[in-house]
Coordinates of all heavy atoms in Angstrom, one line a residue:
M1 N 157.4 191.9 37.0 CA 156.4 192.4 36.0 C 156.3 191.6 34.8 O 155.4 191.8 33.9 CB 156.5 193.9 35.8 CG 156.4 194.8 37.0 SD 154.8 194.7 37.8 CE 155.0 195.9 39.2
T2 N 157.2 190.8 34.6 CA 157.2 190.0 33.3 C 156.0 189.0 33.2 O 155.7 188.6 32.1 CB 158.5 189.1 33.1 OG1 158.7 188.4 34.3 CG2 159.7 190.0 33.0
D3 N 155.4 188.7 34.3 CA 154.2 187.9 34.3 C 152.9 188.6 34.0 O 151.9 188.0 33.8 CB 154.1 187.1 35.6 CG 155.1 186.1 35.8 OD1 155.7 185.6 34.8 OD2 155.4 185.7 37.0
M4 N 153.0 189.9 33.8 CA 151.8 190.7 33.5 C 151.2 190.4 32.2 O 152.0 190.1 31.3 CB 152.1 192.2 33.6 CG 152.3 192.7 35.0 SD 152.3 194.5 35.1 CE 153.5 195.0 33.9
D5 N 149.9 190.5 32.0 CA 149.3 190.4 30.7 C 149.7 191.7 29.9 O 149.9 192.8 30.5 CB 147.8 190.3 30.8 CG 147.4 188.9 31.4 OD1 148.2 187.9 31.2 OD2 146.3 188.8 32.0
A6 N 149.8 191.5 28.6 CA 150.1 192.6 27.7 C 148.8 193.1 27.0 O 148.1 192.3 26.5 CB 151.2 192.3 26.8
Y7 N 148.6 194.4 27.0 CA 147.5 195.0 26.3 C 148.0 196.0 25.3 O 149.0 196.7 25.6 CB 146.6 195.7 27.3 CG 145.8 194.8 28.3 CD1 146.4 194.5 29.6 CD2 144.7 194.2 27.9 CE1 145.7 193.6 30.4 CE2 144.0 193.3 28.8 CZ 144.5 193.1 30.0 OH 143.9 192.2 30.9
P8 N 147.2 196.2 24.2 CA 147.7 197.1 23.2 C 147.5 198.6 23.6 O 148.1 199.5 22.9 CB 146.8 196.8 22.0 CG 145.6 196.1 22.6 CD 146.1 195.5 23.8
D9 N 146.7 198.8 24.6 CA 146.4 200.3 24.9 C 146.9 200.6 26.3 O 147.0 199.7 27.2 CB 144.9 200.6 24.9 CG 144.1 199.7 25.8 OD1 144.0 198.4 25.5 OD2 143.7 200.1 26.8
G10 N 147.3 201.8 26.5 CA 147.9 202.3 27.8 C 147.0 202.2 28.9 O 147.4 201.9 30.1
R11 N 145.7 202.4 28.7 CA 144.7 202.4 29.9 C 144.7 201.0 30.5 O 144.8 200.9 31.8 CB 143.3 202.7 29.4 CG 142.3 202.9 30.5 CD 140.9 203.1 29.9 NE 140.4 202.0 29.1 CZ 139.9 200.9 29.6 NH1 139.8 200.7 30.9 NH2 139.4 200.0 28.8
R12 N 144.5 200.0 29.7 CA 144.5 198.6 30.3 C 145.9 198.2 30.8 O 146.0 197.5 31.8 CB 143.9 197.6 29.3 CG 142.4 197.7 29.2 CD 141.9 196.6 28.3 NE 142.3 196.9 26.9 CZ 142.0 196.1 25.9 NH1 141.4 194.9 26.1 NH2 142.4 196.3 24.6
Q13 N 146.9 198.6 30.1 CA 148.2 198.2 30.6 C 148.5 198.9 31.9 O 149.2 198.3 32.8 CB 149.3 198.6 29.6 CG 150.7 197.9 29.8 CD 150.5 196.4 29.7 OE1 150.0 195.9 28.6 NE2 151.0 195.7 30.6
S14 N 148.1 200.1 32.1 CA 148.3 200.8 33.3 C 147.4 200.0 34.4 O 148.0 199.9 35.6 CB 147.7 202.3 33.2 OG 147.8 202.9 34.4
A15 N 146.3 199.6 34.2 CA 145.5 198.9 35.1 C 146.1 197.6 35.5 O 146.2 197.1 36.7 CB 144.1 198.6 34.6
E16 N 146.7 196.9 34.5 CA 147.5 195.7 34.8 C 148.6 195.9 35.7 O 148.9 195.1 36.6 CB 147.9 195.1 33.4 CG 148.7 193.8 33.5 CD 147.8 192.6 33.9 OE1 146.6 192.7 33.9 OE2 148.4 191.5 34.2
R17 N 149.3 197.0 35.4 CA 150.5 197.3 36.3 C 150.1 197.6 37.7 O 150.7 197.1 38.7 CB 151.3 198.5 35.7 CG 152.5 198.8 36.5 CD 153.3 200.0 36.0 NE 154.3 200.2 37.0 CZ 155.4 199.6 37.2 NH1 155.6 198.4 36.5 NH2 156.2 199.8 38.1
L18 N 149.0 198.3 37.8 CA 148.4 198.7 39.1 C 148.0 197.4 39.9 O 148.3 197.2 41.1 CB 147.2 199.6 39.0 CG 146.6 200.0 40.3 CD1 147.5 200.7 41.3 CD2 145.4 200.9 40.1
M19 N 147.4 196.5 39.2 CA 147.0 195.2 39.7 C 148.3 194.5 40.2 O 148.2 193.8 41.4 CB 146.2 194.3 38.8 CG 145.6 193.1 39.4 SD 144.4 192.3 38.3 CE 145.5 191.8 36.9
A20 N 149.3 194.5 39.5 CA 150.5 193.8 40.0 C 151.1 194.5 41.2 O 151.5 193.7 42.2 CB 151.6 193.8 38.9
V21 N 151.1 195.7 41.3 CA 151.6 196.4 42.5 C 150.7 196.1 43.7 O 151.1 195.9 44.8 CB 151.7 198.0 42.2 CG1 152.0 198.7 43.6 CG2 152.7 198.2 41.2
Q22 N 149.3 196.1 43.4 CA 148.4 195.8 44.5 C 148.7 194.4 45.0 O 148.6 194.1 46.2 CB 147.0 195.9 44.0 CG 146.5 197.3 43.8 CD 145.1 197.4 43.1 OE1 144.6 196.5 42.5 NE2 144.4 198.5 43.4
S23 N 149.0 193.5 44.1 CA 149.2 192.1 44.5 C 150.4 192.0 45.3 O 150.4 191.3 46.4 CB 149.4 191.2 43.3 OG 148.2 191.2 42.5
A24 N 151.5 192.8 45.0 CA 152.7 192.7 45.8 C 152.4 193.4 47.2 O 152.9 192.9 48.3 CB 153.8 193.6 45.1
A25 N 151.5 194.4 47.2 CA 151.1 195.0 48.5 C 150.4 194.1 49.4 O 150.6 194.0 50.6 CB 150.4 196.3 48.3
L26 N 149.5 193.2 48.8 CA 148.8 192.3 49.6 C 149.6 191.2 50.1 O 149.5 190.7 51.2 CB 147.6 191.7 48.7 CG 146.4 192.6 48.5 CD1 145.5 192.0 47.4 CD2 145.7 192.8 49.8
A27 N 150.6 190.7 49.3 CA 151.6 189.7 49.8 C 152.4 190.3 51.0 O 152.6 189.6 52.0 CB 152.6 189.3 48.6
C28 N 152.7 191.6 50.9 CA 153.4 192.2 52.1 C 152.5 192.3 53.3 O 153.0 192.0 54.4 CB 153.9 193.6 51.7 SG 155.2 193.6 50.5
Q29 N 151.3 192.6 53.0 CA 150.3 192.6 54.2 C 150.2 191.3 54.8 O 150.2 191.1 56.0 CB 148.9 193.1 53.7 CG 147.9 193.1 54.8 CD 148.0 194.2 55.8 OE1 149.1 194.8 55.9 NE2 147.0 194.4 56.5
N30 N 150.2 190.2 54.0 CA 150.2 188.8 54.6 C 151.4 188.6 55.4 O 151.4 188.0 56.5 CB 150.0 187.8 53.5 CG 148.7 187.8 52.9 OD1 147.7 188.3 53.5 ND2 148.5 187.3 51.7
L31 N 152.6 189.1 54.9 CA 153.8 188.9 55.7 C 153.8 189.6 57.0 O 154.2 189.2 58.0 CB 155.0 189.5 54.8 CG 156.3 189.4 55.5 CD1 156.8 187.9 55.8 CD2 157.4 190.1 54.6
L32 N 153.2 190.9 56.9 CA 153.1 191.7 58.2 C 152.1 191.0 59.2 O 152.4 191.0 60.5 CB 152.5 193.0 57.9 CG 153.4 193.9 57.0 CD1 152.7 195.3 56.7 CD2 154.8 194.2 57.7
L33 N 151.0 190.4 58.7 CA 150.1 189.7 59.6 C 150.7 188.4 60.2 O 150.6 188.1 61.4 CB 148.8 189.3 58.8 CG 147.9 190.5 58.5 CD1 146.8 190.0 57.5 CD2 147.3 191.2 59.7
A34 N 151.5 187.7 59.3 CA 152.2 186.5 59.8 C 153.3 186.9 60.9 O 153.4 186.2 61.9 CB 152.9 185.8 58.7
A35 N 154.0 188.0 60.7 CA 155.0 188.5 61.6 C 154.3 188.8 62.9 O 154.7 188.5 64.0 CB 155.7 189.7 61.1
H36 N 153.1 189.5 62.9 CA 152.4 189.9 64.1 C 152.0 188.6 64.8 O 152.1 188.5 66.0 CB 151.2 190.7 63.7 CG 150.4 191.1 64.9 ND1 150.8 192.1 65.8 CD2 149.2 190.7 65.4 CE1 149.9 192.3 66.7 NE2 148.9 191.4 66.5
A37 N 151.4 187.6 64.1 CA 151.0 186.3 64.7 C 152.1 185.7 65.4 O 152.0 184.9 66.4 CB 150.3 185.5 63.7
A38 N 153.4 185.9 64.8 CA 154.5 185.2 65.4 C 155.2 186.0 66.6 O 156.3 185.7 67.0 CB 155.6 184.9 64.3
G39 N 154.6 187.1 66.9 CA 155.1 187.9 67.9 C 156.2 188.9 67.6 O 157.0 189.4 68.4
L40 N 156.3 189.1 66.2 CA 157.4 190.0 65.7 C 156.9 191.4 65.5 O 155.7 191.5 65.1 CB 158.0 189.4 64.5 CG 158.7 188.1 64.6 CD1 159.1 187.5 63.3 CD2 160.0 188.3 65.5
G41 N 157.7 192.3 65.6 CA 157.4 193.7 65.0 C 157.8 193.8 63.6 O 158.7 193.1 63.2
A42 N 157.1 194.6 62.8 CA 157.4 194.7 61.4 C 157.2 196.1 60.9 O 156.4 196.8 61.4 CB 156.7 193.7 60.6
G43 N 157.9 196.5 59.9 CA 157.7 197.9 59.4 C 157.8 197.8 57.8 O 158.7 197.1 57.3
W44 N 157.0 198.6 57.2 CA 157.0 198.6 55.7 C 157.8 199.9 55.3 O 157.3 201.0 55.7 CB 155.6 198.6 55.2 CG 155.4 198.7 53.7 CD1 156.2 199.4 52.8 CD2 154.4 198.0 53.0 NE1 155.7 199.2 51.5 CE2 154.6 198.4 51.6 CE3 153.4 197.2 53.3 CZ2 153.7 197.9 50.6 CZ3 152.5 196.8 52.3 CH2 152.7 197.1 51.0
L45 N 158.8 199.8 54.5 CA 159.5 200.9 54.1 C 159.5 200.9 52.5 O 159.7 200.0 51.8 CB 161.0 200.9 54.5 CG 161.3 200.7 56.0 CD1 162.7 200.6 56.2 CD2 160.6 201.8 56.8
C46 N 159.2 202.1 51.9 CA 159.1 202.3 50.5 C 160.4 202.6 49.8 O 160.4 202.8 48.6 CB 158.0 203.3 50.2 SG 158.3 204.9 50.8
A47 N 161.5 202.7 50.5 CA 162.7 203.2 50.1 C 163.2 202.5 48.7 O 163.7 203.2 47.9 CB 163.8 203.1 51.1
P48 N 162.9 201.2 48.6 CA 163.4 200.6 47.3 C 162.8 201.2 46.0 O 163.5 201.2 45.0 CB 162.9 199.1 47.5 CG 162.9 198.9 48.9 CD 162.4 200.2 49.5
L49 N 161.7 201.9 46.2 CA 161.1 202.5 45.0 C 161.9 203.7 44.6 O 161.9 204.1 43.4 CB 159.7 203.1 45.3 CG 158.6 202.0 45.7 CD1 157.4 202.8 46.1 CD2 158.4 201.1 44.5
F50 N 162.8 204.3 45.5 CA 163.6 205.4 45.1 C 165.0 205.0 44.7 O 165.7 205.8 44.2 CB 163.6 206.4 46.3 CG 162.3 206.9 46.7 CD1 161.4 206.3 47.6 CD2 161.9 208.1 46.1 CE1 160.3 206.9 47.9 CE2 160.6 208.7 46.3 CZ 159.7 208.1 47.2
C51 N 165.4 203.8 45.0 CA 166.8 203.4 44.6 C 166.8 201.9 44.2 O 167.5 201.1 44.8 CB 167.7 203.6 45.8 SG 167.2 202.8 47.3
P52 N 166.0 201.6 43.1 CA 165.9 200.2 42.8 C 167.1 199.5 42.3 O 167.4 198.4 42.5 CB 164.8 200.2 41.6 CG 164.9 201.6 41.1 CD 165.2 202.5 42.3
D53 N 168.0 200.3 41.6 CA 169.3 199.8 41.2 C 170.1 199.3 42.4 O 170.8 198.3 42.3 CB 170.1 200.8 40.3 CG 169.4 201.0 39.0 OD1 168.6 200.2 38.6 OD2 169.6 202.2 38.4
V54 N 170.2 200.2 43.4 CA 171.0 199.8 44.6 C 170.4 198.5 45.3 O 171.2 197.7 45.6 CB 170.9 201.0 45.6 CG1 171.6 200.6 46.9 CG2 171.6 202.2 45.0
V55 N 169.1 198.4 45.4 CA 168.5 197.3 46.0 C 168.7 196.0 45.2 O 169.1 195.0 45.6 CB 166.9 197.5 46.2 CG1 166.3 196.2 46.7 CG2 166.8 198.7 47.1
R56 N 168.6 196.2 43.8 CA 168.8 195.0 43.0 C 170.3 194.5 43.1 O 170.5 193.3 43.2 CB 168.6 195.4 41.5 CG 167.1 195.0 41.0 CD 167.0 195.1 39.5 NE 167.2 196.5 39.1 CZ 166.2 197.4 39.0 NH1 164.9 197.0 39.2 NH2 166.4 198.6 38.6
A57 N 171.2 195.5 43.2 CA 172.6 195.0 43.3 C 172.9 194.5 44.6 O 173.6 193.4 44.8 CB 173.5 196.3 43.1
A58 N 172.4 195.1 45.7 CA 172.7 194.5 47.1 C 172.1 193.1 47.3 O 172.7 192.3 48.0 CB 172.1 195.5 48.1
L59 N 170.9 192.9 46.7 CA 170.3 191.6 47.0 C 170.5 190.6 45.8 O 169.9 189.5 45.7 CB 168.7 191.8 47.2 CG 168.3 192.6 48.4 CD1 166.8 192.8 48.5 CD2 168.9 192.0 49.7
R60 N 171.2 191.1 44.8 CA 171.6 190.3 43.6 C 170.2 189.8 42.9 O 170.1 188.6 42.7 CB 172.5 189.1 43.9 CG 173.9 189.7 44.3 CD 174.9 188.5 44.4 NE 174.8 187.6 45.5 CZ 175.3 187.8 46.7 NH1 176.0 189.0 46.9 NH2 175.1 187.0 47.7
L61 N 169.4 190.7 42.8 CA 168.1 190.4 42.1 C 168.2 190.4 40.6 O 169.0 191.2 40.1 CB 167.0 191.4 42.5 CG 166.7 191.5 44.1 CD1 165.7 192.6 44.3 CD2 166.2 190.2 44.6
P62 N 167.4 189.6 39.9 CA 167.4 189.7 38.5 C 167.1 191.1 38.0 O 166.3 191.9 38.6 CB 166.2 188.7 38.1 CG 166.1 187.8 39.2 CD 166.4 188.6 40.4
A63 N 167.6 191.5 36.8 CA 167.5 192.9 36.3 C 166.0 193.3 36.1 O 165.7 194.5 36.1 CB 168.4 193.0 35.1
D64 N 165.2 192.3 35.8 CA 163.8 192.7 35.5 C 162.9 192.6 36.8 O 161.7 192.8 36.6 CB 163.2 191.7 34.4 CG 163.2 190.2 34.8 OD1 163.9 189.9 35.9 OD2 162.6 189.5 34.1
W65 N 163.4 192.5 37.9 CA 162.7 192.6 39.1 C 162.6 194.1 39.6 O 163.6 194.8 39.5 CB 163.3 191.8 40.3 CG 163.0 190.3 40.2 CD1 163.0 189.6 39.1 CD2 162.8 189.5 41.4 NE1 162.7 188.2 39.4 CE2 162.6 188.2 40.8 CE3 162.7 189.6 42.7 CZ2 162.3 187.0 41.6 CZ3 162.5 188.5 43.5 CH2 162.2 187.3 42.9
E66 N 161.4 194.4 40.0 CA 161.2 195.8 40.5 C 161.0 195.8 42.0 O 160.0 195.4 42.5 CB 160.0 196.5 39.8 CG 160.2 196.7 38.3 CD 158.9 197.4 37.8 OE1 158.3 198.2 38.4 OE2 158.7 197.1 36.6
P67 N 162.1 196.2 42.8 CA 161.9 196.1 44.3 C 160.8 197.1 44.6 O 160.8 198.3 44.3 CB 163.2 196.6 44.8 CG 164.2 196.4 43.7 CD 163.4 196.6 42.4
Q68 N 159.8 196.6 45.4 CA 158.6 197.4 45.7 C 158.7 197.9 47.1 O 158.1 198.9 47.4 CB 157.3 196.6 45.5 CG 157.0 196.2 44.1 CD 156.5 197.4 43.3 OE1 155.7 198.2 43.9 NE2 156.9 197.5 42.1
A69 N 159.3 197.2 48.0 CA 159.2 197.5 49.5 C 160.3 196.8 50.2 O 160.9 195.8 49.7 CB 157.9 197.2 50.0
L70 N 160.6 197.3 51.4 CA 161.5 196.6 52.3 C 160.8 196.5 53.6 O 160.1 197.4 54.1 CB 162.8 197.6 52.5 CG 163.8 197.2 53.5 CD1 164.6 196.0 52.9 CD2 164.8 198.4 53.7
I71 N 160.7 195.2 54.0 CA 160.0 194.9 55.2 C 161.0 194.6 56.3 O 161.8 193.6 56.2 CB 159.1 193.7 55.1 CG1 158.2 193.9 53.9 CG2 158.2 193.5 56.4 CD1 157.2 195.0 54.0
T72 N 161.1 195.4 57.4 CA 162.0 195.1 58.5 C 161.2 194.2 59.5 O 160.0 194.4 59.7 CB 162.4 196.4 59.2 OG1 161.3 197.2 59.5 CG2 163.3 197.2 58.2
L73 N 161.9 193.3 60.1 CA 161.2 192.3 61.0 C 162.1 192.2 62.2 O 163.4 192.1 62.1 CB 161.1 190.9 60.4 CG 160.1 190.7 59.3 CD1 160.3 189.3 58.7 CD2 158.7 190.8 59.8
G74 N 161.6 192.1 63.4 CA 162.4 191.8 64.6 C 161.6 191.8 65.8 O 160.4 192.1 65.8
H75 N 162.3 191.5 67.0 CA 161.7 191.6 68.2 C 161.9 193.1 68.8 O 163.0 193.6 68.8 CB 162.3 190.6 69.2 CG 162.0 189.2 68.8 ND1 160.8 188.5 69.0 CD2 162.8 188.3 68.1 CE1 160.9 187.3 68.6 NE2 162.1 187.1 68.0
A76 N 160.9 193.7 69.3 CA 160.9 195.0 69.8 C 161.9 195.0 71.1 O 161.8 194.1 71.9 CB 159.6 195.5 70.2
A77 N 162.8 195.9 71.1 CA 163.8 195.9 72.3 C 163.1 196.1 73.6 O 163.5 195.5 74.6 CB 164.8 197.0 72.0
D78 N 162.0 196.9 73.6 CA 161.3 197.1 74.9 C 160.0 196.4 75.0 O 159.2 196.8 75.8 CB 161.2 198.6 75.1 CG 160.3 199.3 73.9 OD1 159.9 198.5 73.1 OD2 160.1 200.5 74.0
G79 N 159.8 195.4 74.2 CA 158.5 194.7 74.2 C 157.5 195.3 73.3 O 156.4 194.7 73.1
G80 N 157.7 196.6 72.9 CA 156.8 197.2 72.0 C 155.6 197.8 72.7 O 155.4 197.5 73.9
K81 N 155.0 198.7 72.0 CA 153.7 199.3 72.7 C 152.7 199.4 71.5 O 153.0 199.6 70.4 CB 154.0 200.6 73.2 CG 154.6 201.7 72.3 CD 154.9 202.9 73.1 CE 155.4 204.1 72.2 NZ 156.6 203.9 71.5
P82 N 151.4 199.2 71.9 CA 150.3 199.3 70.9 C 150.3 200.7 70.2 O 150.4 201.7 71.0 CB 149.1 199.0 71.6 CG 149.4 198.8 73.0 CD 150.9 199.0 73.2
A83 N 150.1 200.7 68.9 CA 150.0 202.0 68.2 C 148.5 202.5 68.4 O 147.6 201.7 68.5 CB 150.3 201.8 66.7
S84 N 148.4 203.8 68.4 CA 147.0 204.4 68.5 C 146.4 204.2 67.1 O 147.0 204.3 66.1 CB 147.0 205.8 68.9 OG 147.7 206.6 67.9
R85 N 145.1 203.8 67.0 CA 144.4 203.6 65.8 C 143.2 204.4 65.7 O 142.5 204.7 66.6 CB 144.0 202.1 65.7 CG 145.1 201.1 65.8 CD 145.9 201.1 64.6 NE 147.0 200.1 64.7 CZ 148.2 200.2 64.1 NH1 148.4 201.2 63.2 NH2 149.0 199.2 64.2
K86 N 142.9 204.9 64.5 CA 141.6 205.6 64.3 C 140.5 204.6 64.4 O 140.7 203.4 64.1 CB 141.6 206.1 62.8 CG 142.5 207.3 62.5 CD 142.3 207.7 61.1 CE 143.2 208.8 60.7 NZ 143.1 209.3 59.3
P87 N 139.3 205.0 64.8 CA 138.2 204.1 64.9 C 137.8 203.6 63.5 O 138.0 204.4 62.5 CB 137.1 204.9 65.6 CG 137.5 206.4 65.5 CD 139.0 206.4 65.4
L88 N 137.4 202.4 63.4 CA 137.0 201.8 62.1 C 136.0 202.7 61.4 O 136.0 202.9 60.2 CB 136.5 200.5 62.3 CG 136.3 199.5 61.1 CD1 137.7 199.4 60.4 CD2 135.8 198.2 61.5
S89 N 135.1 203.3 62.2 CA 134.1 204.2 61.5 C 134.6 205.4 60.8 O 134.0 206.0 59.9 CB 133.1 204.7 62.6 OG 133.8 205.4 63.6
D90 N 135.9 205.8 61.1 CA 136.6 206.9 60.4 C 137.1 206.4 59.0 O 137.5 207.2 58.1 CB 137.8 207.4 61.2 CG 137.3 208.3 62.3 OD1 136.1 208.5 62.5 OD2 138.2 208.9 63.0
L91 N 137.2 205.1 58.8 CA 137.9 204.5 57.7 C 137.0 203.8 56.7 O 137.4 203.5 55.5 CB 139.0 203.5 58.1 CG 140.0 204.2 59.1 CD1 140.9 203.1 59.7 CD2 140.8 205.2 58.4
V92 N 135.8 203.5 57.1 CA 134.9 202.7 56.1 C 133.6 203.4 56.0 O 133.2 204.2 56.9 CB 134.7 201.3 56.6 CG1 136.0 200.5 56.7 CG2 134.0 201.3 58.0
I93 N 133.0 203.2 54.9 CA 131.6 203.6 54.7 C 130.7 202.5 54.8 O 130.8 201.4 54.1 CB 131.4 204.3 53.3 CG1 132.4 205.6 53.1 CG2 130.0 204.7 53.1 CD1 132.4 206.1 51.7
N94 N 129.7 202.5 55.6 CA 128.8 201.4 55.9 C 127.4 201.7 55.2 O 126.8 202.7 55.6 CB 128.6 201.3 57.4 CG 127.9 200.0 57.7 OD1 127.6 199.1 56.8 ND2 127.7 199.7 59.0
R95 N 127.2 201.0 54.1 CA 125.9 201.3 53.3 C 124.9 200.1 53.6 O 125.3 199.1 53.7 CB 126.2 201.3 51.9 CG 127.2 202.4 51.5 CD 126.5 203.5 50.7 NE 127.5 204.5 50.3 CZ 127.7 205.7 50.8 NH1 126.9 206.1 51.7 NH2 128.6 206.6 50.3
Ligands
LIG1 C1 153.2 201.7 51.3 C2 153.9 202.2 52.6 C3 155.1 202.6 52.6 C4 155.7 203.0 53.8 N1 157.0 203.5 53.7 C5 157.6 203.9 54.8 C6 159.0 204.4 54.8 O1 159.6 204.4 53.7 N2 159.5 204.8 55.9 C7 158.8 204.8 57.2 O2 159.4 205.2 58.1 N3 157.6 204.3 57.1 C8 156.9 203.9 56.0 N4 155.7 203.5 56.1 C9 154.9 203.5 57.4 C10 155.3 202.3 58.3 O3 155.5 201.1 57.5 C11 154.1 202.0 59.2 O4 152.9 201.7 58.5 C12 153.9 203.2 60.2 O5 155.1 203.4 60.9 C13 152.7 202.8 61.1 O6 153.0 201.7 61.8 P1 151.8 200.9 62.5 O7 150.9 200.5 61.4 O8 152.5 199.7 63.2 O9 151.2 201.9 63.4 C14 155.1 203.0 55.0 C15 153.7 202.5 55.0 C16 153.2 202.1 53.8 C17 151.7 201.5 53.9

């Protein structure tokens, strides 16, 4: 988060922080898509948000890094099975 812009007011600083978290989420999404394209299974775990000190120590991360997520990657033991998905029409508004 050290690369974030600094604002004098909490409202804009909060938006800046949210943008940083959104950026990390998008990077993770790209990783998940790349894993899928490579034939790997992947899962997003939010656990690091609950124990950032443990994650920083285990991965020897700089003290000012905020672990956002843990992405597990691997080959499915049984080949995997497609997950059921909601229809797109349940998730988007078409105007
Ligand atoms: C932000 C975020 C955090 C998540 N954290 C966890 C988690 O801590 N533990 C977990 O079992 N699943 C977690 N999930 C859910 C899984 O990563 C995954 O999305 C879910 O199992 C559905 O998998 P699918 O999209 O392949 O069907 C999280 C998902 C998101 C989007």
Side-chain angles (χ1 to χ4, degrees):
M1 297 296 181
T2 53
D3 290 335
M4 290 194 304
D5 289 336
Y7 292 95
D9 60 287
R11 184 184 64 79
R12 281 184 292 173
Q13 198 60 49
S14 174
E16 179 73 10
R17 180 179 174 76
L18 178 58
M19 188 168 62
V21 173
Q22 289 176 335
S23 298
L26 284 169
C28 288
Q29 176 73 344
N30 287 341
L31 178 63
L32 295 176
L33 291 171
H36 180 75
L40 295 169
W44 180 323
L45 306 179
C46 60
L49 294 175
F50 296 90
C51 53
D53 293 338
V54 173
V55 174
R56 267 191 294 268
L59 299 178
R60 294 194 286 277
L61 299 176
D64 60 350
W65 280 40
E66 295 183 27
Q68 293 285 320
L70 178 67
I71 308 293
T72 54
L73 291 170
H75 295 281
D78 61 0
K81 55 181 186 301
S84 62
R85 302 289 181 204
K86 290 181 181 177
L88 197 56
S89 57
D90 282 6
L91 303 170
V92 298
I93 298 172
N94 193 1
R95 300 251 186 251

